[in-house]
């Protein structure tokens, strides 16, 4: 998997892989040495193969807040996504490993996270939507609005959402405005409403 990620990223002229680590400690060491823009990590890795990736992301939040982190996993686990986004969504991504073979999507995710965005794998979004605690808030939305909100949570731009849902950008903008209104996400320069929409998937109103 490490080799696959390295190869997938290296084909992009605007990306350079500066190091590959085998476990938690060596990953921390590489970060200290190279200060990368993005850190890719598996959810589970040595020494305990439990949740090192999530703990590493939390460590980066404190030690190197400027470094984006993308966590890879075999499974769409909502609690791992929640753990990754705990403390803030800026510059964080959670992708299934199968996404590595989709070179364009992987590169776009890197760019989104590098710019401070949040990227969640579509299957992770589906799992979050299925949680009972999300239902009370999201039942205010129409089926199409829920679909658009799911695309928002994956980090896609309005243009890409329009392409994926076969809609005009104007229609997407109208749906997004309706979503923000129904979820009571008011305009606030200090808070990204798209991020707050993502947090609603996790049962968090974004105020913390």
């Amino acid at each position: 998997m490490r080799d696959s990620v390295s190869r997938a990223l290296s084909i992009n002229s605007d990306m350079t892989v500066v190091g590959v680590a085998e476990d938690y400690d060596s990953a921390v060491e590489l970060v200290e040495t190279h200060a990368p823009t993005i850190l890719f990590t598996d959810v589970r890795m040595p020494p305990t193969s439990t949740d090192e990736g999530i703990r590493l992301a939390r460590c980066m939040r404190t030690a190197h807040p400027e470094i984006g982190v993308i966590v890879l996993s075999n499974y769409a686990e909502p609690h791992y996504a929640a753990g990754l986004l705990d403390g803030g969504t800026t510059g964080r991504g959670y992708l299934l490993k199968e996404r590595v073979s989709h070179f364009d999507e992987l590169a776009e995710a890197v760019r989104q996270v590098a710019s401070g965005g949040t990227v969640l794998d579509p299957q992770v979004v589906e799992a979050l939507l299925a949680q009972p605690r999300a239902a009370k808030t999201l039942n205010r939305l129409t089926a199409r609005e829920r679909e658009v909100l799911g695309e928002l949570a994956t980090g896609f731009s309005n243009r890409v959402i329009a392409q994926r849902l076969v809609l005009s950008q104007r229609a997407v903008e109208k749906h997004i405005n309706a979503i923000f209104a129904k979820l009571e996400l008011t305009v606030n320069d200090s808070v990204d409403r798209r991020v707050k929409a993502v947090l609603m998937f996790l049962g968090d109103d974004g105020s913390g």
Side-chain angles (χ1 to χ4, degrees):
M1 179 53 64
R2 292 194 301 271
D3 291 341
S4 296
V5 172
S6 295
R7 287 196 300 270
L9 297 177
S10 295
I11 66 173
N12 298 281
S13 60
D14 58 339
M15 299 179 191
T16 302
V17 178
V18 298
V20 180
E22 297 183 354
D23 55 30
Y24 183 99
D25 290 339
S26 57
V28 172
E29 184 176 342
L30 277 177
V31 167
E32 296 296 340
T33 300
H34 297 286
T37 303
I38 296 287
L39 169 66
F40 269 90
T41 178
D42 200 327
V43 166
R44 301 174 180 178
M45 60 182 173
T48 67
S49 296
T50 53
D51 65 345
E52 277 83 0
I54 302 301
R55 290 193 285 112
L56 183 58
R58 288 173 176 166
C59 171
M60 293 299 104
R61 180 79 68 193
T62 302
H64 298 282
E66 74 283 0
I67 295 177
V69 179
I70 297 178
V71 173
L72 298 174
S73 176
N74 282 322
Y75 307 103
E77 292 286 356
H79 69 280
Y80 283 142
L84 173 67
L85 300 180
D86 182 31
T89 61
T90 301
R92 290 296 179 267
Y94 185 102
L95 300 176
L96 297 188
K97 290 181 180 179
E98 63 191 56
R99 205 64 53 190
V100 172
S101 62
H102 299 239
F103 294 170
D104 290 344
E105 292 183 20
L106 187 68
E108 181 61 21
V110 170
R111 296 184 184 104
Q112 288 274 0
V113 172
S115 65
T118 306
V119 176
L120 298 179
D121 193 283
Q123 291 188 43
V124 177
V125 172
E126 289 179 10
L128 291 170
L129 278 169
Q131 295 187 107
R133 61 183 173 179
K136 184 176 180 180
T137 299
L138 299 178
N139 64 8
R140 308 172 195 170
L141 308 181
T142 65
R144 176 59 94 178
E145 288 165 353
R146 287 169 63 95
E147 193 174 17
V148 172
L149 180 54
E151 295 292 325
L152 277 180
T154 65
F156 293 126
S157 66
N158 290 3
R159 177 182 60 80
V160 174
I161 292 173
Q163 293 174 345
R164 287 170 60 87
L165 298 182
V166 194
L167 295 170
S168 68
Q169 281 192 236
R170 184 176 178 82
V172 170
E173 290 168 1
K174 286 184 176 179
H175 284 307
I176 291 174
N177 287 335
I179 289 167
F180 290 158
K182 290 181 179 180
L183 298 184
E184 300 177 359
L185 300 179
T186 58
V187 175
N188 184 328
D189 291 339
S190 66
V191 178
D192 186 331
R193 290 185 292 174
R194 291 179 181 238
V195 169
K196 292 192 73 175
V198 172
L199 292 176
M200 283 189 170
F201 284 128
L202 306 176
D204 185 336
D205 67 3
S207 61

